[in-house]
Amino acid sequence: MKDGPFSFNLGEGGFIPDEYDNHIQRRLSNMKGQYLDQEAYQVKLAQEDILLYEVYEIKRPEIEGEILHGISIVHPGKVGEEYFMTKGHFHTVLETAEIYYTLKGRGYMVMETPEGEWAVEELAAGRVLYVPPRWAHRSINLQEDEDLVMFFAYPGNAGHDYGTIETQGFRKLVLDKGNGPEIVDNPRWLPSEGG
Ligand code: PAN
Ligand code: ZN
C-alpha cells in the first residue's frame, strides 16, 4: 500500500497495470448459474474457461473514510444471447454508493434495489455513472470486439454481497436476439425469502 498522497495515469496512454496493487480475473467458471442459457454456458466452458472480466485495484484500508478505487475491464463476447458481464452485487453496507467513469467502450449498467426498483443506464466513454446507495449493479459490454474499461470508486467500508445475486439473479437481463441489446425480464429471477 502506498504511503501518503499518490497519483496515477488514466488519460493519454490509458491505464497502466503496474500502477495497481491487485489484479482480479473472472472466468467463465466463476459465473456458474448466472447466464440464462445454461446449455450454451456448458458448451462454451467445455471449449475454454475464457477470461470474462478483470479488475485492477489500488489497495486501501477497507474502513469508513477511505475510498476504494480501480479499473474494471469487461471483455467482449456472449454466452448464448447474453453479453459478457460482471457477477454483480449489492454492497454489504447497503447505504453506500459508487461512481463509475467509462474510459473506453460502450455498455449497460443493470441495477436494482431490494425493494424491486430497477434501472439500466448506458455506459459510454467520457460519461460518469452514479450508482446510489441500495442499488445492486452489474456492468455489461455491448460491443462486438472491444473492451469496456471503467474507473470505479466506492466507500472503503462498503463490502460486497455477491450471495443475493447468485441465488436470486437480477430482475432484468440484456439479450441480443439478433437485433441488438434488448432488456427482458429474467425468467429465472427468484425472490429471496422475505423479499
Ligand atoms: C466494482 C466491481 C467490478 C467487478 O469494482 O467489483 O466491476 O464486478 P463484480 O464485483 O460484480 O464481480 C464494484 O462495483 N465494486 O464495488
Ligand atoms: Zn460495487
Side-chain angles (χ1 to χ4, degrees):
M1 202 176 312
K2 294 161 187 83
D3 222 3
F6 60 90
S7 69
F8 54 93
N9 190 70
L10 282 185
E12 199 76 12
F15 88 104
I16 301 161
D18 280 358
E19 293 191 303
Y20 297 79
D21 302 303
N22 233 352
H23 181 202
I24 300 156
Q25 295 185 310
R26 296 272 180 252
R27 296 180 178 277
L28 208 50
S29 58
N30 302 122
M31 295 289 279
K32 196 169 181 298
Q34 295 303 295
Y35 283 98
L36 178 62
D37 188 340
Q38 295 182 72
E39 202 183 310
Y41 174 85
Q42 288 303 341
V43 169
K44 215 172 172 72
L45 185 58
Q47 287 163 357
E48 193 192 340
D49 190 10
I50 40 176
L51 187 59
L52 301 180
Y53 64 99
E54 304 177 65
V55 180
Y56 289 89
E57 290 176 332
I58 303 274
K59 210 166 170 51
R60 296 301 308 165
E62 295 183 12
I63 55 173
E64 207 176 334
E66 286 283 349
I67 298 175
L68 300 177
H69 56 292
I71 297 291
S72 91
I73 303 170
V74 185
H75 296 300
K78 281 189 201 123
V79 176
E81 298 176 332
E82 205 169 2
Y83 298 92
F84 283 4
M85 60 193 187
T86 59
K87 281 180 175 221
H89 56 265
F90 286 95
H91 290 163
T92 313
V93 178
L94 256 187
E95 305 298 335
T96 51
E98 185 154 350
I99 292 238
Y100 280 85
Y101 177 59
T102 305
L103 297 162
K104 195 166 163 284
R106 203 170 51 79
Y108 276 161
M109 188 71 82
V110 177
M111 294 167 280
E112 67 180 49
T113 65
E115 291 72 40
E117 297 159 277
W118 66 271
V120 177
E121 285 285 330
E122 264 183 58
L123 299 165
R127 287 187 66 82
V128 173
L129 173 76
Y130 184 71
V131 182
R134 306 187 72 77
W135 288 77
H137 39 286
R138 159 182 283 168
S139 40
I140 294 176
N141 186 350
L142 295 178
Q143 302 163 110
E144 289 272 312
D145 47 24
E146 274 192 75
D147 287 343
L148 172 66
V149 185
M150 292 174 292
F151 174 79
F152 62 81
Y154 60 97
N157 64 326
H160 292 107
D161 163 19
Y162 290 103
T164 305
I165 294 299
E166 270 165 13
T167 52
Q168 73 183 33
F170 274 85
R171 286 173 162 84
K172 298 288 172 181
L173 303 178
V174 182
L175 303 181
D176 178 7
K177 299 176 186 227
N179 297 309
E182 239 181 274
I183 300 159
V184 301
D185 287 334
N186 179 1
R188 294 193 302 141
W189 182 73
L190 193 77
S192 61
E193 279 167 53

